[in-house]
Amino acid sequence: MISISSTFKLSFRALRVNKMRSALTMLGIIIGVGAVIAMLAVGTGASSQISEQISKMGSNMIMIVPGTTTAGGVRMGAGTQSTLTMADAEAIQKECSAVSDVAPVHSGVAQVVSGHLNWSTGITGTTQSMLNVRDWPLSSGRPFTQQDVRSATKVCLLGQTVVDNLFGGADPLGQIVRIKKIPFTVIGVLGPKGQSPNGQDQDDTIYVPITTAQKKLFGTTFPGMVRVIMVKANSSEELSTAERQINDLLRQRHRISNKQDPDFSVRNLTQMMQAAEQSSRVMTLLLGAIASVSLLVGGIGIMNIMLVSVTERTREIGIRMAIGAKTWDIRLQFIIEALTLSMIGGTAGIIIGLGGSHILSILAGWPTIVSIPSVMLSFGFSALIGIFFGYFPAYKASLLDPIDALRYE
Amino acid sequence: MPIIEVNDICKTYHMGDIDLNAICKVSLDMEKGEFVAVMGPSGSGKSTFMNILGCLDKPTAGTYRLDGEQIADLSRDELAAIRNRKIGFVFQGFNLLPRTSALENVELPMLYAGISAPDRRQKAREALRSVGLEGREQNHPNQLSGGQQQRVAIARALVNDAPIILADEPTGNLDTKTSMEIMELFVKLNNESNITVILVTHENDIAAYSRRVIRFVDGLVVSDVKQQQRR
């Protein structure tokens, strides 16, 4: 039996004889592998961008907003009715098992003044749970405590954009800012979070204790009113459970039967984002599948050339058989020749694919991520194609009759 | 024990309804070290006979023992192994691999015998030297004359130490002078290495180098005579 390394040498020589033909045959595989890698890179880049946005927003998040009011037949839209209370938030925290943390929010927009600088921004009154719900660490200082919330102290956490606009480069910790002319002590700075999925600057905000917002900044139509309740579920699997539990609990608390429309609505933000991520994954697969077709066509090109090659070299096959080549010696020789074609093509395709996705990300501005598995997959796939499409010509060659093959002109 | 024992072999081809006997009931023995010429007009069955002797084909009836081994019931791959170890082929058209150096052509049978690369190289060089082609190792067949190409083919036949050389009209494509040289090389191998040489030829001049002449006509052996070898 002939050794594999000798067979590889034989195949290299055979491919060198017809350089142009070998190069053109490889081109099919090169384009196929390159396309698979570039397409997967585009798709992976898109879905990782979405999942990055999800993690920025805070994972496993559910938002509860009050329902709509109707004034003389004119419906005012979601969030216009004031139905949610601090007590609702506490009840969700206590009674919904799938919920890990709850942060009620009472917010508004106000002018903020520090020294000679001023800035208009959203003021979010909330509890200490908010930072956990939104996965939002502080870059300096301390969060407010339960004590701050209970006694409505005048402390605040500033978002990075607010710090930049009110303090420039100075350290805001311990400084006083005036919100609606009321002095607040800056106790911490929120870490930069960047844009939200819909393009808002999430860093342009100030957090104050919710009680302070209710009593001193924006007032309430009734004590304990909140505008929004943010909820974090235990895990992404429990998101729907949490959603259902909250729905049931709030219907019960607000005395709304199942036949009536609720006076609140539960929005599962993470699930929406996950659907987007899912669809971009499907797109990735689709792109990969389309690119794979070109890889398949490349494989058929290899089979075509190998069949021609077997016919051309019938006499050589006859000689080899006469002097002792066994069935598998011949078969292996042609399979390895096809494999060599497809693997050299695959390697060149990987380089083209890497370069191509880099150029795409520069020219089109798309985020592209070349994942190692996609490279290994397409290389492995091209090798498999070499073996698969090389097998039939090799099989044909190995079954030639040595006498006929020797006589072949 | 004879190296070749052929007993009542037939090779029958089915052409539609007609059975065609290429050879019929051929029986003969050859001893080790014999120099045999097989002669006969085209269509006489001598090529079929040679294909069977060379284990390229199997008889449809009868038995063939080569070096004591029964050939009829061997598989394709077992036949390939026998050809590799026991038989060296020399063809009329040389049948060297194109675009491949003389040295690598000679290495080919050892490649399929599983001999390591350094040993292959060394034995191939020795074989080329023994046929008088030292210094031509790297030449490709198209850079060699007909006689030189046939010498490469003979070196390839020798290199696995096969006890039998089957030569099918080895001088058919060569001029008279070169034919003489090639035949003298066969005689030398036959005498010095005790290799059994069986050659097919049309020409009496070439057959004169042998010590036994077997004639085929219409698939039958019509004569089998020993003769004085021309020196």
Side-chain angles (χ1 to χ4, degrees):
Chain A
M1 191 74 180
I2 184 167
S3 73
I4 296 286
S5 66
S6 308
T7 316
F8 266 107
K9 268 186 216 146
L10 281 182
S11 74
F12 271 117
R13 161 163 320 152
L15 296 177
R16 267 213 309 276
V17 168
N18 279 307
K19 286 194 196 71
M20 186 68 171
R21 191 161 89 181
S22 305
L24 286 174
T25 313
M26 277 177 203
L27 199 59
I29 294 291
I30 293 174
I31 291 172
V33 170
V36 168
I37 289 178
M39 291 299 108
L40 289 182
V42 167
T44 316
S47 59
S48 89
Q49 197 180 30
I50 292 173
S51 59
E52 198 184 334
Q53 284 175 343
I54 293 179
S55 72
K56 267 186 189 163
M57 194 179 67
S59 55
N60 311 328
M61 214 166 66
I62 293 171
M63 200 162 98
I64 307 156
V65 295
T68 167
T69 54
T70 309
V74 181
R75 301 173 76 209
M76 303 299 283
T80 48
Q81 206 182 2
S82 310
T83 55
L84 296 174
T85 64
M86 293 290 277
D88 286 336
E90 277 157 32
I92 291 168
Q93 174 83 73
K94 253 184 240 142
E95 292 180 32
C96 299
S97 58
V99 167
S100 84
D101 223 339
V102 177
V105 173
H106 191 68
S107 60
V109 175
Q111 204 69 17
V112 186
V113 181
S114 164
H116 64 284
L117 293 171
N118 70 92
W119 185 249
S120 173
T121 186
I123 313 292
T124 305
T126 185
T127 64
Q128 68 283 354
S129 302
M130 190 60 166
L131 299 181
N132 176 32
V133 169
R134 297 211 53 192
D135 294 326
W136 202 342
L138 292 178
S139 64
S140 63
R142 65 164 182 89
F144 38 75
T145 59
Q146 215 169 353
Q147 183 59 41
D148 288 324
V149 174
R150 206 175 303 143
S151 48
T153 50
K154 288 177 278 182
V155 293
C156 65
L157 303 171
L158 302 187
Q160 194 57 50
T161 306
V162 178
V163 172
D164 292 344
N165 282 291
L166 289 182
F167 292 93
D171 181 14
L173 279 190
Q175 302 287 319
I176 304 290
V177 294
R178 289 171 187 277
I179 304 170
K180 282 193 166 178
K181 294 179 183 148
I182 302 162
F184 281 76
T185 310
V186 179
I187 57 166
V189 177
L190 295 161
K193 210 165 171 80
Q195 285 192 346
S196 73
N198 43 20
Q200 281 173 339
D201 181 4
Q202 299 181 90
D203 294 324
D204 191 3
T205 191
I206 295 178
Y207 279 9
V208 298
I210 187 164
T211 43
T212 318
Q214 287 165 333
K215 289 170 190 161
K216 293 176 177 145
L217 290 176
F218 306 117
T220 51
T221 30
F222 57 88
M225 180 197 101
V226 300
R227 286 193 190 281
V228 179
I229 299 173
M230 307 284 256
V231 172
K232 188 187 182 74
N234 287 332
S235 65
S236 56
E237 290 79 36
E238 286 183 75
L239 269 171
S240 342
T241 318
E243 202 179 348
R244 205 182 53 243
Q245 287 175 343
I246 292 165
N247 246 315
D248 292 349
L249 179 70
L250 289 184
R251 272 179 186 278
Q252 197 185 344
R253 286 180 60 85
H254 296 185
R255 300 198 167 75
I256 299 163
S257 75
N258 282 337
K259 286 170 196 143
Q260 287 172 289
D261 285 337
D263 60 353
F264 60 89
S265 76
V266 178
R267 293 176 186 176
N268 189 337
L269 297 181
T270 308
Q271 217 161 49
M272 276 154 57
M273 293 297 288
Q274 276 168 344
E277 196 185 13
Q278 186 65 35
S279 70
S280 92
R281 263 203 212 109
V282 170
M283 186 189 73
T284 308
L285 278 181
L286 206 68
L287 285 174
I290 291 168
S292 306
V293 172
S294 61
L295 197 53
L296 203 71
V297 173
I300 294 169
I302 287 187
M303 176 142 89
N304 192 10
I305 285 304
M306 291 310 294
L307 282 171
V308 171
S309 179
V310 166
T311 310
E312 270 182 1
R313 286 151 70 192
T314 301
R315 206 179 171 82
E316 174 193 327
I317 295 165
I319 296 169
R320 288 180 185 277
M321 284 178 165
I323 62 181
K326 298 193 176 78
T327 313
W328 269 101
D329 290 329
I330 299 292
R331 207 170 286 180
L332 220 56
Q333 182 187 342
F334 284 94
I335 289 174
I336 285 182
E337 215 169 294
L339 188 66
T340 310
L341 266 179
S342 68
M343 289 208 310
I344 295 175
T347 311
I350 287 172
I351 294 164
I352 301 275
L354 292 177
S357 49
H358 192 64
I359 290 168
L360 264 183
S361 68
I362 290 171
L363 290 186
W366 295 343
T368 57
I369 294 175
V370 179
S371 64
I372 302 292
S374 82
V375 170
M376 294 198 316
L377 191 84
S378 48
F379 184 73
F381 197 49
S382 68
L384 216 66
I385 274 183
I387 294 173
F388 183 78
F389 288 105
Y391 188 82
F392 175 65
Y395 176 78
K396 243 185 102 180
S398 70
L399 290 191
L400 286 173
D401 179 49
I403 299 169
D404 294 340
L406 276 171
R407 259 191 233 129
Y408 186 86
E409 291 297 333
Chain B
M1 188 183 68
I3 192 160
I4 287 173
E5 293 177 76
V6 174
N7 246 315
D8 283 340
I9 58 167
C10 295
K11 181 75 187 180
T12 313
Y13 294 102
H14 301 282
M15 301 282 203
D17 295 339
I18 313 154
D19 283 356
L20 204 76
N21 281 326
I23 51 174
C24 191
K25 299 252 177 213
V26 173
S27 300
L28 47 84
D29 291 353
M30 290 180 199
E31 298 297 329
K32 189 160 172 50
E34 275 200 87
F35 196 134
V36 184
V38 177
M39 299 188 74
S42 35
S44 63
K46 63 182 192 302
S47 290
T48 306
F49 180 65
M50 289 296 274
N51 285 339
I52 291 171
L53 284 194
C55 300
L56 289 165
D57 207 351
K58 284 200 258 185
T60 41
T63 60
Y64 169 32
R65 290 165 82 87
L66 189 152
D67 217 0
E69 221 165 330
Q70 188 64 251
I71 297 305
D73 29 64
L74 293 184
S75 72
R76 219 177 132 89
D77 282 352
E78 285 167 331
L79 286 180
I82 297 254
R83 287 197 296 270
N84 187 256
R85 277 184 285 116
K86 303 261 159 124
I87 299 163
F89 289 94
V90 178
F91 302 95
Q92 179 177 4
F94 319 133
N95 275 345
L96 299 176
L97 295 189
R99 294 177 291 264
T100 305
S101 72
L103 192 68
E104 284 169 308
N105 262 296
V106 176
E107 279 185 34
L108 214 54
M110 294 186 282
L111 195 67
Y112 294 113
I115 292 167
S116 74
D119 289 353
R120 288 206 300 263
R121 197 120 294 202
Q122 197 206 335
K123 284 196 76 178
R125 277 180 197 286
E126 282 168 19
L128 279 172
R129 196 182 310 129
S130 73
V131 298
L133 280 180
E134 208 169 3
R136 297 279 178 183
E137 287 89 349
Q138 297 310 324
N139 289 39
H140 288 195
N142 58 358
Q143 299 164 321
L144 295 170
S145 70
Q148 287 170 327
Q149 287 187 53
Q150 198 58 300
R151 283 169 193 270
V152 175
I154 293 168
R156 183 179 67 188
L158 289 174
V159 78
N160 253 2
D161 299 318
I164 302 166
I165 287 185
L166 286 181
D168 191 355
E169 303 205 35
T171 58
N173 287 9
L174 301 175
D175 60 53
T176 319
K177 185 170 166 288
T178 320
S179 299
M180 301 292 169
E181 286 167 13
I182 293 295
M183 288 317 296
E184 271 150 28
L185 182 57
F186 279 126
V187 172
K188 185 182 131 208
L189 292 171
N190 179 244
N191 287 339
E192 291 176 7
S193 314
N194 201 28
I195 293 172
T196 312
V197 179
I198 304 166
L199 73 96
V200 172
T201 184
H202 284 302
E203 297 166 60
N204 289 320
D205 288 358
I206 301 299
Y209 284 93
S210 68
R211 277 173 290 174
R212 178 180 172 189
V213 178
I214 298 168
R215 283 178 194 278
F216 275 84
V217 174
D218 292 338
L220 297 167
V221 176
V222 291
S223 77
D224 184 351
V225 290
K226 298 237 157 84
Q227 66 176 23
Q228 189 65 41
Q229 190 171 28
R230 165 175 156 185
R231 297 303 332 242

